[in-house]
Amino acid sequence: MMKKTAKIMTVLTVLAVLAAGNAEAAFFGTDVVGQSAVTSFAAMLEALEVPPAADEDEGVWVLTAPDGGAAFWWRKEAKDARMFDAYLSFDAGPFVNAGLDLSKLPLNMKGMLEERGKIVVGAKLSKEPLVYEGDVTPLSSFEQIVKLDRDSVGYHSALDHYGVTVSEGSLLEWAKDMSKNDKDLVFVLNPQVFIDAGVDPSKVEGWVFDKVTVEDARGRKYDADKFLKPFDLK
Amino acid sequence: MTKQTVAIGGMTCAACAKRIERAVGKLQGIADATVNFATEKLSVEYDEGQLAIQDIEKKIIDVGYNVLRESTKNAATIPIGGMTCAACAQRVEKAVGKVEGVLSVSVNIATEKATISYNPQRVKLSAIRGAIEGAGYQALETEKSGAVDEDKQRKEREIRVLKVKFSVAAIFGLPLLYLAMVPMDPIVQWLWWLPFPSILRPMNYPLNYALAEIVLVLPILVVGYKFYTVGFKAFFQGSPNMDSLIAIGTSAAVLYSFYSTWQITTGDFAAVDRMYFESAGVIIALILLGKTLEAISKGKTSEAIKKLMGLAPKTAIVIKKKAGEGTPEGAASSEAETEVEIPIDEVEIGDVILVKPGGKIPVDGVVTDGHSAVDESMLTGESIPLDKKVGDKVYAATINKNGVLRFEATKVGSDTALAQIIKLVEDAQGSKAPIAQMADIVSGVFVPIVCVFAVVAAAAWYFYVRDVSFALTIFISVLIIACPCALGLATPTAIMVGTGKGAEYGILFKGGEALETTHKADTIVFDKTGTITEGKPEVTDVVPAEGVDRTRLLRIAASAEKGSEHPLGEAIVHKAEEEKLAFLDVKSFQALTGLGIEAVVEEVSGDGAGSREPNVKNTRLYAGNRKLMTERGFSLGNLEAESDRLAEEGKTPMYVVFDEEGRGPALAGIIAVADVVKKSSAEAIKILRDMGLSVAMITGDNLKTANAIARQVGIDRVLAEVLPQDKSNEVKKLQAEGVSMKGTSSKGGRKVIMVGDGINDAPALVQADIGIAIGSGTDVAMESADIVLMRSDLMDVPTAIQLSKSTIRNIKQNLFWAFAYNTAGIPIAAGLLHLFGGPLLNPILAAAAMSLSSVSVLSNALRLKRFRPHRG
């Protein structure tokens, strides 16, 4: 009796699992966030008035914020030659005006400072070469990044966003479904390094200083201070 | 009407017990059906003309429970001589298999042995041996067999299975809990040092996370399948029980989590926050833990009865005569006898049994040869071994200390004193106390109400916060925390431990009601003779009237009293024997109830030598108490002062009147009899008075004697010169008194305990709220009593009352905690605290609390095992 019931229970549960996951998820992969992040990134790129441009000198793609005050850069060239594979750049001016002592910033944030007046936060995602099977496009390069360092891409439930982390607490986020979101593209900075360097966070122009619910490496949710630069692309 | 007990499997809470009671109670012909959840037994009284036990068993099965056959089967291996081939083995198997009561038989031709399983209540091993012999083979000496206690094995198996199930649930439940709680709950952040795989991060890999939870919860659901099969069956049959609550609660959690998993696959990754697999898994694990601890604790509550059962030896040495070697007179010479060790079940009435020094007496019997001291402490609590000689009774399970005893078995199997005691304790443990009624009523309606309440609370919260997850949390928490297991266990477990503890002290409560009522008593009435006193009175004074010879007075009185069974009469007979007086013929004898005796004694004077005929004179004699003298109009004459003196000394004057031919009745003298007060009487009565009880003594003896005894033991209220038939009336009058000894008005009058030993006490024992029969008493007294003391020590009376008080206090504590737990737990689970900004009860914590409540009630009941009587 027990064996029979146990069998029935097992079969029913397995059936329920199969019913719960769609066929693709069940048989071809369970990384639904990874897959969906790429799709929605493509939708976001489509919605940009100014599409990402290639910077052949740097071997990267550049997505410039509609206000021009920030940009997201990601690796385009196949070989591994750069310090960062993905990074955010933004004007130093608003931060300097809010009290930033540039000498207190880490050296790796000042790579564009002298030449372009911009501060950089970025991440080396992988030493592996990018392997393209078709055209090299902003999306195919982004797909490679997801493939090389899947952990850098995640879902942010509080804003219904996906995001790619470029440094601890700093990331580029985009809406999962732009039709249901008024923040389709958001540049997110971890403010701590700036506050430590003398910035009064409430005085940084062009950036919103706010608390955002985020999750740590173990998935625990908590509220964290962030500089946000959101855009509605519609 | 027939009374029977049926062991039931599959009950999980008091609601199950109530359900079975209701279902069986509805059957035509059922007079009474009571289910004890703690013992898992149904006591049923039914009309055999209207239905059979099979009908009752079928009903139990129909409502979703198992009927456990409580047969005890024995196994025996009998070497067989004379077998030559496989056909012989088959022939023996066939012959033995046909014997009624044989459950299985297997004959191995190689070893030449038959392995037999049989029901000892239906067939004796001798009959099986007879069948082998009848088939033409020799049944050689039976090899040692072991009795298999199926009930014990079943319970041990149940604990083993529960342990395995819990282990599986824990092995999968802990990682499930870790997986679920670490990302969610800051409480478990101290587990930061444990690895958390990045591919299971809920927001990065929600489907991985969900599938991992499913993989972990699946084995837990499988081991907990019984909650679903039993719970849903009961629910759909309209009688939800504890399993229903668990099944509904965890099913809701699992189904909703599957829905959330499906939502993840459709792109709603936030659904990962709405998964409750861990709730379902951990709830089942915790409840399995609770059930395991409960099963272990339940076993401990019946340890006392197991101890009693373990007292009986497994074998007996029976003296068998070798065929053809007896003497012509039939007396067995020592050479003609053999000692055969046989299983205890094989001993039959009339068997002569040998018990060597240090051996246990296997069955009840009467000593036919030998002399020894026997330790009966296991039955009576009396630590001093008693001397046993030819003609004395011996009892099963007592220990023969030093000599070799032979005795004839008079009571075997379920008729032995030990078996009767075990039955009495078992019956008491299976019975319900009135205090359990409230718990029964509540648990009967509790589960359906909780189901409705859970739906209402969840719906209300849904409309308030518009959050399905939140409403579901409320729904599950209410269902899980409300399981009424603790309520169902509160009373029967305490009664089991209490009655078991009583048995250890030699105090046998005949039921839960007796155990409960005893503590309410405010008045206690003791019979005098044999209860307060030893009941072995001795003649202290023989005072003849003027002109009457002392020896003649004693001889005639003793001759007449020889027909009396009254202890006072026996004392007079004993005195005459001591003085080596010859007894006279008694022509007629009549006992005058409550007064004394009337007899005609034939006196022969002269020896008839020569031509003279012996002179035969018939003397009518009356011997008895003062009431007899008054009723018959006999004058005390000048012995009245002497009579008063004797009575004031605590002696009982027996007035002897001779009614001789031609003289008319006249007082011939007084024979004073005194009964020694038991050593412990005064101390016991002091303890009872200290406990606040009003103590009285009732006796047929005269007031002066009664007062003298009462003074010795510290009793201030004496009901003297009460006829046996009036004793119950006196008890009734006491019960009608509306004032307790503390002077406060007692609404229902006094609650009276009557303590007695004699046949004449039986009506009073029945009339009293509680009747206590003392161990040396008659069978009638013990039948009539609610409590039987196995010893004659009155110290056991305060012990019985104290035990009753402790047990009832324990039951009240259990009920309080069970009710408090549910009363407080349900509103918290329903989100009452949350409504005012407080925390919300996690379903897992609800399950932990629920399991803890049952375990705490059981642990509290087990505290009773530490009961020790207070001695002043």
Side-chain angles (χ1 to χ4, degrees), chain B residues 236-264:
Chain B
F236 290 119
Q237 285 179 346
S239 303
N241 57 11
M242 173 193 144
D243 286 338
S244 309
L245 295 177
I246 297 165
I248 297 168
T250 56
S251 296
V254 169
L255 291 175
Y256 188 71
S257 304
F258 274 126
Y259 172 69
S260 297
T261 308
W262 178 77
Q263 282 189 307
I264 290 169

PDB file of all heavy atoms in Angstrom, chain B residues 236-264:
ATOM      1  N   PHE B 236     -12.905  14.522   3.014  1.00  0.00           N
ATOM      2  CA  PHE B 236     -13.986  14.321   2.047  1.00  0.00           C
ATOM      3  C   PHE B 236     -15.140  13.505   2.626  1.00  0.00           C
ATOM      4  O   PHE B 236     -16.237  13.518   2.093  1.00  0.00           O
ATOM      5  CB  PHE B 236     -13.446  13.700   0.757  1.00  0.00           C
ATOM      6  CG  PHE B 236     -12.592  14.661  -0.023  1.00  0.00           C
ATOM      7  CD1 PHE B 236     -11.264  14.393  -0.295  1.00  0.00           C
ATOM      8  CD2 PHE B 236     -13.120  15.877  -0.460  1.00  0.00           C
ATOM      9  CE1 PHE B 236     -10.474  15.300  -0.986  1.00  0.00           C
ATOM     10  CE2 PHE B 236     -12.342  16.792  -1.161  1.00  0.00           C
ATOM     11  CZ  PHE B 236     -11.013  16.509  -1.417  1.00  0.00           C
ATOM     12  N   GLN B 237     -14.862  12.800   3.722  1.00  0.00           N
ATOM     13  CA  GLN B 237     -15.956  12.081   4.387  1.00  0.00           C
ATOM     14  C   GLN B 237     -16.663  12.960   5.416  1.00  0.00           C
ATOM     15  O   GLN B 237     -17.540  12.517   6.141  1.00  0.00           O
ATOM     16  CB  GLN B 237     -15.425  10.814   5.056  1.00  0.00           C
ATOM     17  CG  GLN B 237     -15.116   9.713   4.042  1.00  0.00           C
ATOM     18  CD  GLN B 237     -14.573   8.464   4.684  1.00  0.00           C
ATOM     19  OE1 GLN B 237     -14.182   8.476   5.845  1.00  0.00           O
ATOM     20  NE2 GLN B 237     -14.540   7.385   3.940  1.00  0.00           N
ATOM     21  N   GLY B 238     -16.221  14.200   5.477  1.00  0.00           N
ATOM     22  CA  GLY B 238     -16.908  15.157   6.347  1.00  0.00           C
ATOM     23  C   GLY B 238     -16.458  15.149   7.788  1.00  0.00           C
ATOM     24  O   GLY B 238     -17.106  15.759   8.636  1.00  0.00           O
ATOM     25  N   SER B 239     -15.389  14.452   8.101  1.00  0.00           N
ATOM     26  CA  SER B 239     -14.874  14.441   9.467  1.00  0.00           C
ATOM     27  C   SER B 239     -13.385  14.757   9.471  1.00  0.00           C
ATOM     28  O   SER B 239     -12.562  13.883   9.716  1.00  0.00           O
ATOM     29  CB  SER B 239     -15.092  13.071  10.118  1.00  0.00           C
ATOM     30  OG  SER B 239     -16.428  12.733  10.094  1.00  0.00           O
ATOM     31  N   PRO B 240     -13.050  16.000   9.169  1.00  0.00           N
ATOM     32  CA  PRO B 240     -11.620  16.324   9.105  1.00  0.00           C
ATOM     33  C   PRO B 240     -10.913  16.109  10.435  1.00  0.00           C
ATOM     34  O   PRO B 240     -11.521  16.289  11.493  1.00  0.00           O
ATOM     35  CB  PRO B 240     -11.611  17.804   8.716  1.00  0.00           C
ATOM     36  CG  PRO B 240     -12.952  18.311   9.069  1.00  0.00           C
ATOM     37  CD  PRO B 240     -13.900  17.170   8.934  1.00  0.00           C
ATOM     38  N   ASN B 241      -9.670  15.681  10.347  1.00  0.00           N
ATOM     39  CA  ASN B 241      -8.885  15.457  11.556  1.00  0.00           C
ATOM     40  C   ASN B 241      -7.569  16.220  11.440  1.00  0.00           C
ATOM     41  O   ASN B 241      -7.397  17.053  10.561  1.00  0.00           O
ATOM     42  CB  ASN B 241      -8.642  13.959  11.760  1.00  0.00           C
ATOM     43  CG  ASN B 241      -7.943  13.331  10.569  1.00  0.00           C
ATOM     44  OD1 ASN B 241      -7.466  14.017   9.680  1.00  0.00           O
ATOM     45  ND2 ASN B 241      -7.880  12.029  10.548  1.00  0.00           N
ATOM     46  N   MET B 242      -6.640  15.871  12.345  1.00  0.00           N
ATOM     47  CA  MET B 242      -5.360  16.570  12.337  1.00  0.00           C
ATOM     48  C   MET B 242      -4.644  16.398  11.001  1.00  0.00           C
ATOM     49  O   MET B 242      -4.059  17.344  10.466  1.00  0.00           O
ATOM     50  CB  MET B 242      -4.500  16.024  13.464  1.00  0.00           C
ATOM     51  CG  MET B 242      -3.110  16.557  13.450  1.00  0.00           C
ATOM     52  SD  MET B 242      -2.062  15.608  14.530  1.00  0.00           S
ATOM     53  CE  MET B 242      -0.550  15.646  13.600  1.00  0.00           C
ATOM     54  N   ASP B 243      -4.720  15.185  10.455  1.00  0.00           N
ATOM     55  CA  ASP B 243      -4.083  14.930   9.167  1.00  0.00           C
ATOM     56  C   ASP B 243      -4.682  15.818   8.081  1.00  0.00           C
ATOM     57  O   ASP B 243      -3.980  16.251   7.167  1.00  0.00           O
ATOM     58  CB  ASP B 243      -4.262  13.461   8.763  1.00  0.00           C
ATOM     59  CG  ASP B 243      -3.375  12.567   9.591  1.00  0.00           C
ATOM     60  OD1 ASP B 243      -2.389  13.071  10.131  1.00  0.00           O
ATOM     61  OD2 ASP B 243      -3.674  11.370   9.693  1.00  0.00           O
ATOM     62  N   SER B 244      -5.994  16.056   8.183  1.00  0.00           N
ATOM     63  CA  SER B 244      -6.651  16.909   7.187  1.00  0.00           C
ATOM     64  C   SER B 244      -6.045  18.303   7.216  1.00  0.00           C
ATOM     65  O   SER B 244      -5.792  18.905   6.171  1.00  0.00           O
ATOM     66  CB  SER B 244      -8.152  16.995   7.464  1.00  0.00           C
ATOM     67  OG  SER B 244      -8.697  15.721   7.616  1.00  0.00           O
ATOM     68  N   LEU B 245      -5.821  18.816   8.439  1.00  0.00           N
ATOM     69  CA  LEU B 245      -5.254  20.155   8.558  1.00  0.00           C
ATOM     70  C   LEU B 245      -3.865  20.208   7.926  1.00  0.00           C
ATOM     71  O   LEU B 245      -3.535  21.134   7.183  1.00  0.00           O
ATOM     72  CB  LEU B 245      -5.160  20.559  10.038  1.00  0.00           C
ATOM     73  CG  LEU B 245      -6.481  20.718  10.785  1.00  0.00           C
ATOM     74  CD1 LEU B 245      -6.232  21.053  12.238  1.00  0.00           C
ATOM     75  CD2 LEU B 245      -7.335  21.801  10.162  1.00  0.00           C
ATOM     76  N   ILE B 246      -3.075  19.180   8.227  1.00  0.00           N
ATOM     77  CA  ILE B 246      -1.708  19.144   7.673  1.00  0.00           C
ATOM     78  C   ILE B 246      -1.780  18.997   6.159  1.00  0.00           C
ATOM     79  O   ILE B 246      -1.071  19.684   5.415  1.00  0.00           O
ATOM     80  CB  ILE B 246      -0.895  17.994   8.299  1.00  0.00           C
ATOM     81  CG1 ILE B 246      -0.737  18.240   9.792  1.00  0.00           C
ATOM     82  CG2 ILE B 246       0.462  17.855   7.632  1.00  0.00           C
ATOM     83  CD1 ILE B 246      -0.288  17.033  10.561  1.00  0.00           C
ATOM     84  N   ALA B 247      -2.656  18.076   5.722  1.00  0.00           N
ATOM     85  CA  ALA B 247      -2.760  17.811   4.277  1.00  0.00           C
ATOM     86  C   ALA B 247      -3.212  19.052   3.529  1.00  0.00           C
ATOM     87  O   ALA B 247      -2.611  19.422   2.503  1.00  0.00           O
ATOM     88  CB  ALA B 247      -3.730  16.654   4.040  1.00  0.00           C
ATOM     89  N   ILE B 248      -4.237  19.718   4.049  1.00  0.00           N
ATOM     90  CA  ILE B 248      -4.748  20.905   3.345  1.00  0.00           C
ATOM     91  C   ILE B 248      -3.696  22.013   3.364  1.00  0.00           C
ATOM     92  O   ILE B 248      -3.398  22.634   2.337  1.00  0.00           O
ATOM     93  CB  ILE B 248      -6.071  21.399   3.987  1.00  0.00           C
ATOM     94  CG1 ILE B 248      -7.157  20.326   3.855  1.00  0.00           C
ATOM     95  CG2 ILE B 248      -6.537  22.696   3.349  1.00  0.00           C
ATOM     96  CD1 ILE B 248      -8.396  20.595   4.695  1.00  0.00           C
ATOM     97  N   GLY B 249      -3.127  22.243   4.542  1.00  0.00           N
ATOM     98  CA  GLY B 249      -2.147  23.322   4.698  1.00  0.00           C
ATOM     99  C   GLY B 249      -0.941  23.124   3.810  1.00  0.00           C
ATOM    100  O   GLY B 249      -0.563  24.038   3.041  1.00  0.00           O
ATOM    101  N   THR B 250      -0.353  21.949   3.852  1.00  0.00           N
ATOM    102  CA  THR B 250       0.873  21.730   3.077  1.00  0.00           C
ATOM    103  C   THR B 250       0.557  21.587   1.587  1.00  0.00           C
ATOM    104  O   THR B 250       1.349  21.997   0.745  1.00  0.00           O
ATOM    105  CB  THR B 250       1.648  20.496   3.574  1.00  0.00           C
ATOM    106  OG1 THR B 250       0.777  19.374   3.534  1.00  0.00           O
ATOM    107  CG2 THR B 250       2.158  20.688   4.988  1.00  0.00           C
ATOM    108  N   SER B 251      -0.611  21.027   1.264  1.00  0.00           N
ATOM    109  CA  SER B 251      -0.983  20.922  -0.157  1.00  0.00           C
ATOM    110  C   SER B 251      -1.150  22.307  -0.762  1.00  0.00           C
ATOM    111  O   SER B 251      -0.719  22.562  -1.898  1.00  0.00           O
ATOM    112  CB  SER B 251      -2.293  20.150  -0.329  1.00  0.00           C
ATOM    113  OG  SER B 251      -2.117  18.845   0.094  1.00  0.00           O
ATOM    114  N   ALA B 252      -1.766  23.183   0.005  1.00  0.00           N
ATOM    115  CA  ALA B 252      -1.933  24.557  -0.490  1.00  0.00           C
ATOM    116  C   ALA B 252      -0.560  25.163  -0.763  1.00  0.00           C
ATOM    117  O   ALA B 252      -0.341  25.811  -1.796  1.00  0.00           O
ATOM    118  CB  ALA B 252      -2.699  25.377   0.545  1.00  0.00           C
ATOM    119  N   ALA B 253       0.366  24.923   0.178  1.00  0.00           N
ATOM    120  CA  ALA B 253       1.726  25.468   0.021  1.00  0.00           C
ATOM    121  C   ALA B 253       2.411  24.886  -1.213  1.00  0.00           C
ATOM    122  O   ALA B 253       3.007  25.614  -2.013  1.00  0.00           O
ATOM    123  CB  ALA B 253       2.547  25.158   1.275  1.00  0.00           C
ATOM    124  N   VAL B 254       2.274  23.565  -1.383  1.00  0.00           N
ATOM    125  CA  VAL B 254       2.957  22.899  -2.503  1.00  0.00           C
ATOM    126  C   VAL B 254       2.339  23.321  -3.840  1.00  0.00           C
ATOM    127  O   VAL B 254       3.056  23.666  -4.785  1.00  0.00           O
ATOM    128  CB  VAL B 254       2.909  21.367  -2.317  1.00  0.00           C
ATOM    129  CG1 VAL B 254       3.365  20.647  -3.577  1.00  0.00           C
ATOM    130  CG2 VAL B 254       3.780  20.948  -1.140  1.00  0.00           C
ATOM    131  N   LEU B 255       1.030  23.320  -3.911  1.00  0.00           N
ATOM    132  CA  LEU B 255       0.365  23.652  -5.180  1.00  0.00           C
ATOM    133  C   LEU B 255       0.655  25.095  -5.584  1.00  0.00           C
ATOM    134  O   LEU B 255       0.929  25.395  -6.754  1.00  0.00           O
ATOM    135  CB  LEU B 255      -1.144  23.414  -5.070  1.00  0.00           C
ATOM    136  CG  LEU B 255      -1.548  21.939  -4.955  1.00  0.00           C
ATOM    137  CD1 LEU B 255      -3.046  21.803  -4.729  1.00  0.00           C
ATOM    138  CD2 LEU B 255      -1.138  21.167  -6.211  1.00  0.00           C
ATOM    139  N   TYR B 256       0.618  25.979  -4.586  1.00  0.00           N
ATOM    140  CA  TYR B 256       0.889  27.382  -4.900  1.00  0.00           C
ATOM    141  C   TYR B 256       2.338  27.557  -5.355  1.00  0.00           C
ATOM    142  O   TYR B 256       2.629  28.349  -6.252  1.00  0.00           O
ATOM    143  CB  TYR B 256       0.603  28.245  -3.664  1.00  0.00           C
ATOM    144  CG  TYR B 256       0.679  29.724  -3.968  1.00  0.00           C
ATOM    145  CD1 TYR B 256      -0.298  30.341  -4.746  1.00  0.00           C
ATOM    146  CD2 TYR B 256       1.725  30.498  -3.491  1.00  0.00           C
ATOM    147  CE1 TYR B 256      -0.234  31.694  -5.037  1.00  0.00           C
ATOM    148  CE2 TYR B 256       1.795  31.855  -3.773  1.00  0.00           C
ATOM    149  CZ  TYR B 256       0.813  32.450  -4.550  1.00  0.00           C
ATOM    150  OH  TYR B 256       0.883  33.788  -4.833  1.00  0.00           O
ATOM    151  N   SER B 257       3.225  26.769  -4.761  1.00  0.00           N
ATOM    152  CA  SER B 257       4.635  26.847  -5.152  1.00  0.00           C
ATOM    153  C   SER B 257       4.840  26.314  -6.569  1.00  0.00           C
ATOM    154  O   SER B 257       5.656  26.852  -7.331  1.00  0.00           O
ATOM    155  CB  SER B 257       5.502  26.059  -4.169  1.00  0.00           C
ATOM    156  OG  SER B 257       5.287  26.534  -2.867  1.00  0.00           O
ATOM    157  N   PHE B 258       4.101  25.269  -6.918  1.00  0.00           N
ATOM    158  CA  PHE B 258       4.170  24.769  -8.297  1.00  0.00           C
ATOM    159  C   PHE B 258       3.670  25.842  -9.273  1.00  0.00           C
ATOM    160  O   PHE B 258       4.243  26.056 -10.341  1.00  0.00           O
ATOM    161  CB  PHE B 258       3.344  23.491  -8.457  1.00  0.00           C
ATOM    162  CG  PHE B 258       4.110  22.250  -8.086  1.00  0.00           C
ATOM    163  CD1 PHE B 258       3.613  21.350  -7.159  1.00  0.00           C
ATOM    164  CD2 PHE B 258       5.345  21.967  -8.665  1.00  0.00           C
ATOM    165  CE1 PHE B 258       4.317  20.215  -6.806  1.00  0.00           C
ATOM    166  CE2 PHE B 258       6.051  20.830  -8.321  1.00  0.00           C
ATOM    167  CZ  PHE B 258       5.541  19.952  -7.391  1.00  0.00           C
ATOM    168  N   TYR B 259       2.631  26.521  -8.860  1.00  0.00           N
ATOM    169  CA  TYR B 259       2.088  27.602  -9.685  1.00  0.00           C
ATOM    170  C   TYR B 259       3.153  28.698  -9.856  1.00  0.00           C
ATOM    171  O   TYR B 259       3.366  29.216 -10.956  1.00  0.00           O
ATOM    172  CB  TYR B 259       0.813  28.147  -9.038  1.00  0.00           C
ATOM    173  CG  TYR B 259       0.269  29.386  -9.696  1.00  0.00           C
ATOM    174  CD1 TYR B 259      -0.285  29.324 -10.973  1.00  0.00           C
ATOM    175  CD2 TYR B 259       0.303  30.622  -9.044  1.00  0.00           C
ATOM    176  CE1 TYR B 259      -0.776  30.472 -11.590  1.00  0.00           C
ATOM    177  CE2 TYR B 259      -0.184  31.765  -9.642  1.00  0.00           C
ATOM    178  CZ  TYR B 259      -0.721  31.686 -10.921  1.00  0.00           C
ATOM    179  OH  TYR B 259      -1.204  32.821 -11.535  1.00  0.00           O
ATOM    180  N   SER B 260       3.826  29.016  -8.754  1.00  0.00           N
ATOM    181  CA  SER B 260       4.887  30.039  -8.817  1.00  0.00           C
ATOM    182  C   SER B 260       6.011  29.584  -9.734  1.00  0.00           C
ATOM    183  O   SER B 260       6.582  30.389 -10.491  1.00  0.00           O
ATOM    184  CB  SER B 260       5.452  30.305  -7.420  1.00  0.00           C
ATOM    185  OG  SER B 260       4.446  30.816  -6.592  1.00  0.00           O
ATOM    186  N   THR B 261       6.347  28.299  -9.677  1.00  0.00           N
ATOM    187  CA  THR B 261       7.408  27.757 -10.540  1.00  0.00           C
ATOM    188  C   THR B 261       7.010  27.930 -12.010  1.00  0.00           C
ATOM    189  O   THR B 261       7.820  28.338 -12.849  1.00  0.00           O
ATOM    190  CB  THR B 261       7.641  26.269 -10.224  1.00  0.00           C
ATOM    191  OG1 THR B 261       7.847  26.131  -8.832  1.00  0.00           O
ATOM    192  CG2 THR B 261       8.840  25.721 -10.973  1.00  0.00           C
ATOM    193  N   TRP B 262       5.767  27.621 -12.267  1.00  0.00           N
ATOM    194  CA  TRP B 262       5.267  27.792 -13.637  1.00  0.00           C
ATOM    195  C   TRP B 262       5.344  29.257 -14.060  1.00  0.00           C
ATOM    196  O   TRP B 262       5.732  29.581 -15.174  1.00  0.00           O
ATOM    197  CB  TRP B 262       3.827  27.271 -13.711  1.00  0.00           C
ATOM    198  CG  TRP B 262       3.223  27.443 -15.072  1.00  0.00           C
ATOM    199  CD1 TRP B 262       3.465  26.668 -16.175  1.00  0.00           C
ATOM    200  CD2 TRP B 262       2.318  28.473 -15.471  1.00  0.00           C
ATOM    201  NE1 TRP B 262       2.758  27.150 -17.243  1.00  0.00           N
ATOM    202  CE2 TRP B 262       2.045  28.259 -16.840  1.00  0.00           C
ATOM    203  CE3 TRP B 262       1.721  29.547 -14.822  1.00  0.00           C
ATOM    204  CZ2 TRP B 262       1.192  29.082 -17.559  1.00  0.00           C
ATOM    205  CZ3 TRP B 262       0.868  30.369 -15.523  1.00  0.00           C
ATOM    206  CH2 TRP B 262       0.610  30.139 -16.891  1.00  0.00           C
ATOM    207  N   GLN B 263       5.044  30.136 -13.121  1.00  0.00           N
ATOM    208  CA  GLN B 263       5.110  31.573 -13.433  1.00  0.00           C
ATOM    209  C   GLN B 263       6.542  32.003 -13.751  1.00  0.00           C
ATOM    210  O   GLN B 263       6.765  32.847 -14.612  1.00  0.00           O
ATOM    211  CB  GLN B 263       4.573  32.383 -12.243  1.00  0.00           C
ATOM    212  CG  GLN B 263       3.049  32.375 -12.194  1.00  0.00           C
ATOM    213  CD  GLN B 263       2.549  33.357 -11.161  1.00  0.00           C
ATOM    214  OE1 GLN B 263       2.977  33.290 -10.017  1.00  0.00           O
ATOM    215  NE2 GLN B 263       1.662  34.228 -11.555  1.00  0.00           N
ATOM    216  N   ILE B 264       7.503  31.402 -13.058  1.00  0.00           N
ATOM    217  CA  ILE B 264       8.918  31.722 -13.328  1.00  0.00           C
ATOM    218  C   ILE B 264       9.249  31.373 -14.774  1.00  0.00           C
ATOM    219  O   ILE B 264       9.892  32.152 -15.486  1.00  0.00           O
ATOM    220  CB  ILE B 264       9.844  30.960 -12.350  1.00  0.00           C
ATOM    221  CG1 ILE B 264       9.700  31.523 -10.943  1.00  0.00           C
ATOM    222  CG2 ILE B 264      11.308  31.057 -12.802  1.00  0.00           C
ATOM    223  CD1 ILE B 264      10.350  30.683  -9.871  1.00  0.00           C
TER     224      ILE B 264
END
